[in-house]
Amino acid sequence: MKIDEINLSIIKHLRDGRKSFKKIADDLSLSENTVRPRVNKLTDDGVLEVTGLVDAEAVTDHRVVIV
């Protein structure tokens, strides 16, 4: 898959947390119907993986172990 400037811009928007396709499209002056399939293609091709991070200190009664 070719990573063009639009794909890079979309990835940068997703770096700061999950944003809606509409918000990303508005910020980049694109249509939501342009952003959605690009994110899906990046994900399907293994270029992009959306994950969540947990603040371990915010979860009570649990411990963090680094091995």
Side-chain angles (χ1 to χ4, degrees):
M1 166 177 220
K2 183 176 183 241
I3 305 298
D4 60 11
E5 290 301 317
I6 295 174
N7 286 343
L8 285 175
S9 296
I10 291 170
I11 290 168
K12 287 177 185 175
H13 273 80
L14 292 171
R15 191 181 297 164
D16 295 328
R18 186 70 174 109
K19 287 186 183 177
S20 70
F21 295 137
K22 174 82 171 115
K23 175 71 174 142
I24 294 170
D26 289 346
D27 289 349
L28 299 177
S29 299
L30 299 169
S31 73
E32 185 177 350
N33 290 331
T34 299
V35 173
R36 182 184 317 275
R38 282 177 176 258
V39 170
N40 289 339
K41 178 112 174 87
L42 288 166
T43 303
D44 291 345
D45 289 353
V47 174
L48 176 68
E49 181 179 332
V50 180
T51 60
L53 298 176
V54 175
D55 179 2
E57 292 179 8
V59 181
T60 59
D61 298 326
H62 288 81
R63 297 181 197 269
V64 176
V65 178
I66 299 173
V67 179

